[in-house]
Amino acid sequence: MTQQVAPLSSVSPEPYISVIIPVFNEEENLRELGERLMRTLKTIGRPFEIILVDDGSTDRSWDLLAELHDQYPENLRALQFNRNFGQHQAIFAGFQAARGQVMITLDADLQNPPEEIPRLVAKLEEGYDTVGGWREDRRDSLFRRLPSHLVNVVMSKVTGTRLRDYGCMLRAYRREVIDSINQCHESSSFIPALANLYSRRVAEIPVGHAERERGQSKYGLIKLLRLNFDLMTGFSNFPIHVVGFTGVAIAFLGLFFGAFLLLRRLLVGPEVEGIFTLFAILFIFVGLNTLGLALIGEYVGRIYREVRGRPRYVIRQTLGPDPVQKC
Ligand code: UDP
Ligand code: MG
């Protein structure tokens, strides 16, 4: 493992704000991101650090991060994973390395305007543990917004914290919340929901949202489904309950149907046709059974993954002070 550790004297001693950003093939956005962040964070007037975590990029992102680190050695640190481990794992690594009292997360693609950070910090300082951004005018396709809506409704119910926008990564957390998160070692997780479990007071403020102007979204249909499914299964047994309740409802329907056929037999005589209807009903049952089994399998698979306890990520190199290398 190669490590380039900057001399400690060049690093501001106690940052108050740590900004943590996952980066995966964002070469076109990094320069502007660095500039806008530096400009905005300076206006707050408190010591700060920016931690960029390169999640195994295959483009020039790491070179650009090294350039940014040379440009702002006192404020900007970078970590590089040895391959792609996922956005949330990158943020976990950033949390482990961060030293601030206030932690901010945001995306690297400039969809979350860095200029909103002072408002998030100000709100947190009113006494909240977590302040989430809520994308008032979300610039994403309907295909992205619809599942998000469902997730927000379900997650609000299961975690007991009503949030309008679980998916917005522009958020601020107090150190104490992150200390608790740092003790969680689950291999697939969703940070905004996890943070809610350890926050007493949660606020949400509207924030701007821009279209992705450069680079591509890293979430295709499958990755998006997996993320949303992780979120649902990682924080509740809600999907299993849904299948369970559907099973009970169908059993009752079957009971009524049986009673109806009995009555009909007594009044009209035995039915002769209807074999195809029976097939249709059978298919529904078989489908539901398979769904139920698959769901249980999914949970079992997740348990297996957790039990193996493999490292969640591997840090290849770092620029700036050495982070705590726990994973
Ligand atoms: N990202 C990451 N690892 C991944 C996928 C994404 O670090 O495997 C980062 C990406 O560089 C960006 C953020 O996570 O900073 C959000 O990704 P993206 O903009 O592609 O998601 P979308 O806005 O389309 O939901
Ligand atoms: Mg994006």
Side-chain angles (χ1 to χ4, degrees):
M1 196 177 292
T2 35
Q3 273 185 16
Q4 291 162 271
V5 179
L8 275 173
S9 58
S10 72
V11 176
S12 47
E14 281 284 304
Y16 173 67
I17 300 173
S18 297
V19 180
I20 293 120
I21 307 176
V23 175
F24 183 46
N25 294 345
E26 301 285 2
E27 59 182 1
E28 293 112 317
N29 295 313
L30 291 176
R31 270 208 194 95
E32 182 180 340
L33 177 73
E35 266 164 35
R36 284 170 62 180
L37 275 170
M38 288 302 292
R39 207 181 319 131
T40 309
L41 289 166
K42 276 181 188 157
T43 63
I44 301 180
R46 307 288 298 259
F48 65 89
E49 63 177 356
I50 302 167
I51 302 177
L52 292 139
V53 184
D54 178 359
D55 182 17
S57 298
T58 49
D59 65 357
R60 288 187 55 247
S61 290
W62 179 252
D63 298 341
L64 285 161
L65 292 184
E67 265 175 36
L68 281 174
H69 172 69
D70 286 343
Q71 205 176 340
Y72 314 109
E74 291 187 10
N75 297 99
L76 197 137
R77 306 163 61 188
L79 275 63
Q80 187 187 32
F81 281 178
N82 73 344
R83 50 154 283 226
N84 179 246
F85 286 95
Q87 177 187 0
H88 289 261
Q89 300 305 343
I91 300 175
F92 273 125
F95 282 161
Q96 292 281 359
R99 299 166 297 168
Q101 293 305 310
V102 169
M103 311 257 182
I104 309 279
T105 56
L106 76 155
D107 289 347
D109 59 356
L110 298 168
Q111 287 198 274
N112 302 138
E115 291 73 22
E116 301 279 15
I117 294 176
R119 289 178 54 232
L120 285 173
V121 175
K123 189 75 187 173
L124 199 75
E125 285 173 340
E126 284 176 21
Y128 292 98
D129 297 316
T130 297
V131 178
W134 148 53
R135 292 165 290 185
E136 206 173 9
D137 180 18
R138 187 168 167 189
R139 301 300 179 93
D140 276 321
S141 64
L142 197 66
F143 148 80
R144 299 296 301 268
R145 281 182 283 133
L146 272 184
S148 291
H149 182 70
L150 178 75
V151 163
N152 290 334
V153 172
V154 174
M155 288 311 290
S156 295
K157 279 258 177 316
V158 301
T159 65
T161 309
R162 215 185 79 80
L163 285 190
R164 286 171 195 256
D165 197 349
Y166 267 90
C168 178
M169 293 309 291
L170 180 54
R171 309 180 90 81
Y173 308 95
R174 265 178 204 279
R175 166 101 243 163
E176 294 73 30
V177 176
I178 303 305
D179 283 342
S180 302
I181 288 186
N182 282 345
Q183 290 173 35
C184 300
H185 298 285
E186 41 206 78
S187 57
S188 56
S189 198
F190 197 85
I191 286 158
L194 197 58
N196 277 354
L197 300 183
Y198 305 111
S199 307
R200 201 164 56 91
R201 297 190 67 203
V202 179
E204 223 177 4
I205 59 171
V207 291
H209 192 238
E211 261 171 64
R212 190 188 247 282
E213 286 186 3
R214 279 160 294 183
Q216 280 175 353
S217 170
K218 311 299 178 304
Y219 286 96
L221 181 63
I222 299 291
K223 215 169 163 184
L224 205 63
L225 276 177
R226 195 180 318 139
L227 187 76
N228 286 335
F229 201 72
D230 264 355
L231 181 55
M232 301 262 190
T233 54
F235 290 87
S236 76
N237 289 335
F238 178 78
I240 284 199
H241 291 161
V242 170
V243 175
F245 282 124
T246 317
V248 172
I250 289 182
F252 269 111
L253 276 179
L255 213 63
F256 286 127
F257 191 45
F260 164 76
L261 287 181
L262 188 71
L263 214 67
R264 189 175 180 278
R265 188 178 281 250
L266 291 177
L267 298 177
V268 190
E271 76 279 11
V272 277
E273 288 174 18
I275 180 94
F276 292 111
T277 317
L278 210 60
F279 263 109
I281 294 170
L282 188 72
F283 282 158
I284 297 179
F285 272 112
V286 172
L288 273 176
N289 273 339
T290 318
L291 176 69
L293 263 181
L295 206 64
I296 296 171
E298 192 68 38
Y299 276 96
V300 173
R302 268 147 218 268
I303 295 169
Y304 182 45
R305 203 160 68 200
E306 295 301 337
V307 169
R308 282 195 306 241
R310 291 180 179 157
R312 293 182 300 170
Y313 51 79
V314 178
I315 296 174
R316 181 154 170 257
Q317 56 182 329
T318 64
L319 298 171
D322 198 8
V324 189
Q325 297 247 347
K326 243 194 284 164
C327 58

